[in-house]
Amino acid sequence: MKVAPTIEELRTNLKSHHADNQLIGFVPTMGALHEGHLALVDKAKESSDTTVVSIFINPLQFNNAQDFSTYPQTLESDLELLEKRGVDVVFLPSKEELYPMQPSLSINFGPLERTLEGEFRPGHFSGVGIIVSKLLNIVKPHVAYFGQKDLQQVAVIQTLVRDLSIDVKIQVVPTVRESDGLAMSSRNLRLTTQERKAARLLYQVLNFCKIELLAGRDWLTTRQEALQMIRHESLASMEYLELVSTYSLQKQEKFEPEQALSLVIACFIGEVRLIDNLPVNL
Ligand code: PAF
């Protein structure tokens, strides 16, 4: 496994792969890798000749300085995991090289920007859009892999690729969960034992809502009951629980079985902000 700490080294490493027309699969990450990331790596390995993973904690997508400074960093074990998984190249760029100065560009994703994560984390998606554009420009993969856990991020990246005609296929990989249903996330590392137990609540709430909706209950009543479940957990503090269109992420007031809809949740457990989602009808 090659480790490329600069853009030039990455490009040199990939030159012959590009020249031989090898299929390059790319998994961008912020490190603190878990089975969710490794599922993306496995998918990339399955269908690519060369698999590239980047690790970069992108300051531009954090609207909260504390969230940025406490984001888990586990570089040594990340590299071990990637080596074991058979990754070909790991790109480890520095902040100085990627952002020699504060970018003057910002990206507005329209209605996607004003709902859910966009509402609670102003500027977040612009930061994601800028770093993903940069990484796709540098790596030039044929396919890039993203987790369904970040449903709105997937929609943002699909918009980016479509609107800028970037020559890459975006492949979405299903969420990987712990045995009690908690979606895998690097932020789970920051939960205390008690908070970790309480964190199951997110998936329980999503499942409760899904079962109720599929049984014909209306969304507004179901939502009220779900909010009540969350109020009973003293470690939990809700940001949003919504029924949304799976592709546009716009909020829905009614469950329409013939539309592709998903339930989305963002909730603090203690100091840790967690998000999750569940498709209601595929
Ligand atoms: O999903 C993530 O880990 C990040 O948002 C990404 C796509 C690597 C961009 O920094």
Side-chain angles (χ1 to χ4, degrees), residues 205-206 208-210 212-213 216-227 240-244 251-256 262-264 280:
V205 163
L206 292 176
F208 164 79
C209 293
K210 176 173 176 166
E212 292 294 295
L213 290 175
R217 300 282 304 280
D218 76 281
W219 169 233
L220 295 182
T221 317
T222 303
R223 186 171 184 275
Q224 283 313 318
E225 288 174 20
L227 293 179
Y240 60 75
L241 170 66
E242 301 290 348
L243 177 68
V244 299
K251 296 175 194 170
Q252 309 291 310
E253 294 204 338
K254 269 170 64 186
F255 175 58
E256 304 281 1
S262 291
L263 291 151
V264 289
V280 187

Side-chain angles (χ1 to χ4, degrees), residues 72-129:
Q73 297 193 39
T74 56
L75 183 59
E76 213 176 298
S77 67
D78 289 350
L79 291 177
E80 269 173 37
L81 287 170
L82 296 176
E83 172 112 63
K84 278 198 198 127
R85 237 48 184 212
V87 166
D88 299 290
V89 183
V90 182
F91 182 38
L92 286 181
S94 68
K95 180 170 161 268
E96 290 67 30
E97 191 179 24
L98 285 188
Y99 298 123
M101 56 179 73
Q102 181 73 9
S104 36
L105 178 75
S106 74
I107 309 180
N108 184 334
F109 288 94
L112 263 178
E113 174 86 34
R114 295 189 286 274
T115 188
L116 310 174
E117 291 299 286
E119 227 173 307
F120 284 89
R121 303 182 69 189
H124 168 66
F125 286 127
S126 176
V128 169

Side-chain angles (χ1 to χ4, degrees), residues 163-181:
D163 286 3
L164 296 181
S165 307
I166 303 176
D167 190 13
V168 67
K169 178 176 174 219
I170 301 302
Q171 183 76 49
V172 183
V173 178
T175 304
V176 181
R177 298 184 179 279
E178 304 282 359
S179 55
D180 63 357

Side-chain angles (χ1 to χ4, degrees), residues 3-281:
V3 176
T6 64
I7 298 176
E8 195 184 333
E9 280 173 77
L10 191 270
R11 286 192 171 137
T12 309
N13 268 304
L14 290 183
K15 208 172 178 169
S16 61
H17 302 262
H18 280 296
D20 292 349
N21 274 333
Q22 292 196 5
L23 200 86
I24 298 180
F26 175 47
V27 181
T29 81
M30 298 205 296
L33 302 182
H34 49 68
E35 283 301 322
H37 296 110
L38 298 177
L40 304 180
V41 169
D42 290 346
K43 274 274 167 239
K45 282 227 37 118
E46 246 171 65
S47 7
S48 325
D49 301 312
T50 303
T51 303
V52 182
V53 174
S54 65
I55 300 179
F56 178 67
I57 306 180
N58 174 34
L60 225 58
Q61 70 188 73
F62 287 82
N63 59 317
N64 173 327
Q66 204 213 353
D67 192 23
F68 177 60
S69 61
T70 56
Y71 199 84
Q73 297 193 39
T74 56
L75 183 59
E76 213 176 298
S77 67
D78 289 350
L79 291 177
E80 269 173 37
L81 287 170
L82 296 176
E83 172 112 63
K84 278 198 198 127
R85 237 48 184 212
V87 166
D88 299 290
V89 183
V90 182
F91 182 38
L92 286 181
S94 68
K95 180 170 161 268
E96 290 67 30
E97 191 179 24
L98 285 188
Y99 298 123
M101 56 179 73
Q102 181 73 9
S104 36
L105 178 75
S106 74
I107 309 180
N108 184 334
F109 288 94
L112 263 178
E113 174 86 34
R114 295 189 286 274
T115 188
L116 310 174
E117 291 299 286
E119 227 173 307
F120 284 89
R121 303 182 69 189
H124 168 66
F125 286 127
S126 176
V128 169
I130 290 174
I131 190 66
V132 171
S133 308
K134 273 176 171 285
L135 293 170
L136 293 177
N137 254 331
I138 295 166
V139 178
K140 299 196 190 310
H142 298 90
V143 188
Y145 295 80
F146 294 89
Q148 192 190 328
K149 177 178 162 277
D150 296 305
L151 188 68
Q152 194 170 5
Q153 171 168 281
V154 166
V156 157
I157 290 164
Q158 276 160 342
T159 304
L160 183 82
V161 165
R162 189 191 58 229
D163 286 3
L164 296 181
S165 307
I166 303 176
D167 190 13
V168 67
K169 178 176 174 219
I170 301 302
Q171 183 76 49
V172 183
V173 178
T175 304
V176 181
R177 298 184 179 279
E178 304 282 359
S179 55
D180 63 357
L182 176 66
M184 294 212 179
S185 161
S186 305
R187 288 189 168 84
N188 295 353
L189 286 176
R190 292 176 47 210
L191 296 167
T192 63
T193 313
Q194 223 191 343
E195 288 166 352
R196 170 61 192 82
K197 267 194 199 151
R200 313 180 274 202
L201 183 66
L202 275 84
Y203 189 57
Q204 284 169 351
V205 163
L206 292 176
N207 256 314
F208 164 79
C209 293
K210 176 173 176 166
I211 291 166
E212 292 294 295
L213 290 175
L214 292 178
R217 300 282 304 280
D218 76 281
W219 169 233
L220 295 182
T221 317
T222 303
R223 186 171 184 275
Q224 283 313 318
E225 288 174 20
L227 293 179
Q228 199 58 30
M229 281 168 74
I230 297 163
R231 272 184 223 113
H232 278 131
E233 172 51 69
S234 60
L235 291 170
S237 117
M238 261 293 293
E239 277 200 343
Y240 60 75
L241 170 66
E242 301 290 348
L243 177 68
V244 299
S245 150
T246 301
Y247 303 113
S248 73
L249 276 299
Q250 298 310 302
K251 296 175 194 170
Q252 309 291 310
E253 294 204 338
K254 269 170 64 186
F255 175 58
E256 304 281 1
E258 65 283 357
Q259 282 178 27
L261 298 178
S262 291
L263 291 151
V264 289
I265 188 169
C267 186
F268 275 92
I269 301 289
E271 300 274 292
V272 185
R273 185 176 185 276
L274 299 176
I275 60 170
D276 199 356
N277 66 81
L278 192 65
V280 187
N281 47 349

